Amino acid sequence: MTTLAHRPPQMIRANGIDICYEIFGDENAEPMLLIMGLGAQMVLWDDEFCEQLAARGFRVIRFDNRDIGQSGKLTGGGRLTPFELLKLRLFKIPIAAPYKLIDMAKDTVGLMDALGLKSAHLVGASMGGMIAQEVAISFPQAVRSLTSIMSTTGDPKVPPPSREAMAMLMAPPPKTKGEYIERFAQTWKMLRVGSFPEDEALDPSRALRNYERGLNPAGVGRQLRAILASGSRKQRLGAVKAPTLVIHGTVDPLVHPAGGKDTAVSIPGAKLLMVDGMGHALPIPMWPEIIDAIDQHAHRAAVTAA
């Protein structure tokens, strides 16, 4: 078996932020950026997931978004309150935020520029899908193809998270390492919806890896503010020209399946893959279907553009 090229995590300056990134695969392969979701470090794109994509002929780049993992931390923006959410929902009073999704999109494009990439395939999960959508809207020349996973348009008409998922979002952060590891396992069991023993067995080591790389609860709060302050992309998504694939789980408790369907309807020519039994996670048993879909979509886009 051929050993894939791998560049260990490094820091680079992009859009005025220090970004931690890591690369799997040959430097001459089609570049693919993986953008993680709210409060999620780049290592939640499992090493094996990245390696399997790289083995399909991609130069896979994962990175920590601003305010998370080992990338640069910002300041401001206190913990989001239920009262602020109520004002937003009932009276359309905007959420205050130190930055918005467009700033995180500029981080993504800045990282590409710093790595010498004029364009890349973008694969975003949850908030990462929102960031990837924003890049496709605002920096169309940078996007070879777009894959938006378990994400949404920001349209307030999309049903909200389940009560349990919303409670998880608003819960105070754990205070000790033990609490964090326990909360991590509980959270992902709820988000995966159902029993996935292979993933559950890995949850303690995944949690420990996150913990050791460094936590930033205030940064998670700022990221959540960024999502809520950015509003709806629904109308602007009509201008997206990049070949688009939307992947969503049929039982997603955090981003309602209607969010994926709305994304696919809003982007001209987008293809929709609803994964039966998938929640708000990428469980190992579902990797073959998801990786196949990403691979075929990106390579088809590459051939079309050639």
Side-chain angles (χ1 to χ4, degrees):
M1 184 176 172
T2 305
T3 302
L4 289 164
H6 175 229
R7 287 175 63 186
Q10 297 181 58
M11 302 296 294
I12 202 165
R13 194 77 176 168
N15 191 33
I17 303 280
D18 289 324
I19 298 288
C20 181
Y21 72 98
E22 186 173 8
I23 301 179
F24 299 81
D26 188 87
E27 65 178 34
N28 296 315
E30 287 277 321
M32 176 176 284
L33 260 70
L34 306 184
I35 313 172
M36 243 308 152
L38 172 67
Q41 299 185 29
M42 69 177 183
V43 292
L44 284 176
W45 295 109
D46 281 90
D47 294 5
E48 294 81 3
F49 186 92
C50 297
E51 287 164 0
Q52 287 186 34
L53 274 173
R56 304 290 186 100
F58 297 104
R59 184 187 187 204
V60 177
I61 303 158
R62 66 181 181 183
F63 65 99
D64 288 323
N65 286 309
R66 61 167 63 195
D67 251 341
I68 209 72
Q70 297 185 346
S71 286
K73 311 299 188 292
L74 285 89
T75 57
R79 216 179 140 64
L80 192 70
T81 66
F83 184 54
E84 287 177 285
L85 286 175
L86 191 65
K87 289 194 295 183
L88 175 67
R89 190 170 298 135
L90 295 183
F91 306 112
K92 306 294 184 286
I93 297 173
I95 297 283
Y99 55 83
K100 295 184 179 180
L101 291 176
I102 182 62
D103 299 296
M104 301 182 83
K106 289 176 181 176
D107 294 346
T108 305
V109 175
L111 173 61
M112 291 168 59
D113 288 344
L115 294 175
L117 299 174
K118 290 184 178 177
S119 63
H121 302 282
L122 300 189
V123 179
S126 196
M127 179 188 73
M130 303 173 196
I131 295 168
Q133 291 171 25
E134 190 62 64
V135 175
I137 293 165
S138 302
F139 304 94
Q141 73 286 351
V143 186
R144 299 187 188 192
S145 74
L146 167 64
T147 301
S148 179
I149 306 174
M150 54 195 178
S151 195
T152 184
T153 60
D155 188 338
K157 292 178 183 174
V158 170
S162 70
R163 206 171 282 182
E164 190 181 16
M166 183 58 81
M168 178 272 295
L169 266 185
M170 300 301 290
K175 294 179 180 173
T176 66
K177 179 162 78 171
E179 279 182 27
Y180 176 78
I181 291 171
E182 185 179 356
R183 174 83 64 83
F184 184 98
Q186 291 170 347
T187 297
W188 285 102
K189 187 167 177 61
M190 183 266 291
L191 291 176
R192 281 192 290 262
V193 185
S195 178
F196 293 91
E198 200 174 349
D199 287 276
E200 289 162 24
L202 289 173
D203 280 343
S205 60
R206 287 169 170 167
L208 186 60
R209 189 178 189 185
N210 275 272
Y211 189 87
E212 289 177 343
R213 294 184 81 244
L215 305 179
N216 186 27
V220 180
R222 284 188 286 272
Q223 289 184 353
L224 181 55
R225 286 183 175 277
I227 293 170
L228 295 170
S230 295
S232 175
R233 291 170 299 286
K234 184 173 175 64
Q235 296 302 320
R236 294 188 301 132
L237 284 169
V240 170
K241 297 288 192 294
T244 299
L245 171 66
V246 177
I247 301 175
H248 214 104
T250 58
V251 293
D252 192 328
L254 187 61
V255 179
H256 195 280
K261 293 172 182 175
D262 192 43
T263 304
V265 165
S266 302
I267 298 175
K271 293 179 171 60
L272 175 65
L273 171 62
M274 298 298 295
V275 181
D276 191 42
M278 185 173 106
H280 197 78
L282 301 172
I284 293 168
M286 296 178 180
W287 285 4
E289 182 177 6
I290 293 164
I291 289 172
D292 277 352
I294 295 170
D295 170 26
Q296 290 167 18
H297 174 66
H299 273 124
R300 194 180 301 118
V303 169
T304 304

